[in-house]
Amino acid sequence: MQSHLLWLGIAGHIIGFDTVLMQAWRIREPVMWLCEKITGNRKLLGMNLIGGVRRDIPAEIHDELLQVLARVEKETKQVINAIADDTTLRARCVDVGVLTPQQVIAYALLGPTARASGVGIDIRVDHPYAAYQELGCEVMVENGSDIWSRVLVRMRETLEAIRIIRDALRFMPSSPIIADIREPIPPGKVGLSSVEAPRGETHHFVITGEDSRPYRWKARAPTFQNLQGIPVMVAGEYIADVPIGLGSMDPCFSCTERLETVDVRTGQVRVYSKKELVELYRRRYEGK
Amino acid sequence: MIVSKLKEAKICFSNLRVTLPYPFGPGAEVGEGFRGKLKVDAEKCVGCGGCANVCPSRLIRFYDDGEQTRMEFILDRCTYCGRCAEVCPENAITMTQTFETATNDKTDLYIEQELYMLTCKRCGRCFETNNAIDRIPTQRMRRGRNFVGASMPHGAPEGGEPGK
Ligand code: SF4
Ligand code: SF4
């Protein structure tokens, strides 16, 4: 919910429509305050532990939570209503950055990007985890295949997220929030989980090691997969449409940090190892 | 087109300024239970190493050096998860409300403390910190060689001769 509002703001900013940036972020802010109240931080919530979560939702916050949800819902609807017929916005988004359903499938694109091209994939429905089996979740599909459809998908999903949170609060059973695990975690076990993140499905893979510590942990964030669709999306488009084309996938580069350098004169590609990068950094910044 | 611009203007005008003039004026208050920069109370710490064991960023380190144990927090890697404070049996670590941690001096994010370990009389190796032993109510009975504190009731009168 907050991620989609954040994205709406950034997408607006990329095409020079800063009013929507200001307003979307203003609407989102109370959600961040709630996050801080419930978990202790706006981001990096640090709530999940093996066996459960660390903090319960305090009872005195329930009312405030519902109020914030109501307000965000109302204001999001207002914004959707206001921008729906904005011709400037539509000129930048409709039929721009088109990805056909065939391309989406060929490049295995995920999340709202896929759903905006009529490919209704959503892990919460396809392989329900946590409480999604009981709560249900409507998969928002648009068939425009362009940036405007991605806006619509995300806005409808924001409202759906509010619905899910309300239901979750209403049906929340009262039980311990964390299991009491005392045995050490056996080494050599493999765990794989897939959840639907705001940008698409994200997979975490872990092999347990000695001393209850992970031996290997690999995360595959959706942005990595979505970026594969960028070349076909921007092919033949105006250069001015490339930033919003890229932005329309809601890329998260910190999830996807991979680095290679290209020497523009020789065209030579080089990939640095971790050791080389550390040495380079030390030489540059610590004068060693 | 016009209608949509008017709707947008209405949203803007019905929500005037919401930002604060921070950092030139006071910023927003952080909520209760906020996890900010951590603080360690060296007096309370018993050197159990529980915090170092759970820290996901591995920034708490222990170095044993004879009678002393040096404990080091390199907080520039801290994710403010607060696990260390959660597991500390002595509540020596607290997550403060400080969030303005940006600095150009790395030592601001470095905490070092030394724990004096009492050695075992028999084998001579470190076994427990001063702080931990200090908290045992039979402390007064640990003088001299004839240590028989276990047989003394806790409420022994002040100045009472232990071990007799
Ligand atoms: S707050 Fe978390 S990351 Fe920071 S020192 Fe404590 S356990 Fe480590
Ligand atoms: S700070 Fe707490 S958890 Fe860490 S060594 Fe000291 S007593 Fe143990």
Side-chain angles (χ1 to χ4, degrees), chain B residues 7-162:
Chain B
K7 281 181 191 163
E8 283 158 19
K10 181 170 166 259
I11 295 177
C12 294
F13 285 119
S14 53
N15 296 283
L16 296 174
R17 185 175 180 151
V18 289
T19 48
L20 298 171
Y22 184 77
F24 304 108
E29 297 273 314
V30 291
E32 204 184 309
F34 175 76
R35 304 186 306 256
K37 187 181 171 186
L38 64 84
K39 196 175 87 200
V40 201
D41 186 345
E43 294 283 302
K44 284 188 183 165
C45 175
V46 293
C48 67
C51 49
N53 191 32
V54 295
C55 176
S57 327
R58 305 291 200 147
L59 59 84
I60 309 175
R61 294 192 185 143
F62 281 82
Y63 299 95
D64 283 330
D65 182 16
E67 290 216 332
Q68 281 175 17
T69 288
R70 191 157 56 82
M71 202 179 159
E72 190 179 76
F73 289 79
I74 308 158
L75 291 184
D76 52 357
R77 287 217 304 273
C78 183
T79 61
Y80 305 97
C81 69
R83 276 294 282 158
C84 50
E86 211 170 70
V87 301
C88 177
E90 301 294 326
N91 295 327
I93 301 181
T94 29
M95 304 304 284
T96 63
Q97 307 252 307
T98 314
F99 57 89
E100 290 153 319
T101 50
T103 173
N104 51 15
D105 182 3
K106 249 185 158 178
T107 55
D108 286 351
L109 294 173
Y110 184 79
I111 303 176
E112 187 179 70
Q113 66 178 22
E114 291 193 336
L115 301 167
Y116 291 91
M117 309 297 278
L118 290 181
T119 45
C120 167
K121 287 266 157 36
R122 211 177 262 174
C123 68
R125 284 170 51 204
C126 283
F127 80 106
E128 200 47 287
T129 54
N130 236 342
N131 288 342
I133 302 288
D134 278 351
R135 227 156 293 144
I136 299 174
T138 55
Q139 195 214 353
R140 288 182 289 115
M141 291 142 229
R142 283 187 285 107
R143 315 175 201 139
R145 293 175 62 82
N146 305 323
F147 171 49
V148 285
S151 65
M152 285 290 291
H154 286 170
E158 204 56 47
E161 277 288 293

Side-chain angles (χ1 to χ4, degrees), chain A residues 7-8 10-18 20 83-98 144-152 233-234 237-249, chain B residues 1 5:
Chain A
W7 171 83
L8 179 69
I10 296 191
H13 175 69
I14 291 175
I15 55 175
F17 187 17
D18 273 330
V20 76
I83 62 174
D85 299 316
D86 192 317
T87 35
T88 340
L89 202 61
R90 292 183 67 106
R92 290 299 311 271
C93 296
V94 176
D95 288 335
V96 177
V98 175
S145 307
D146 53 5
I147 293 172
W148 185 247
S149 304
R150 285 168 215 146
V151 177
L152 293 181
M233 186 210 273
V234 299
E237 301 264 351
Y238 290 110
I239 287 194
D241 288 337
V242 174
I244 184 61
L246 181 59
S248 73
M249 290 188 165
Chain B
M1 171 71 192
K5 285 292 171 210

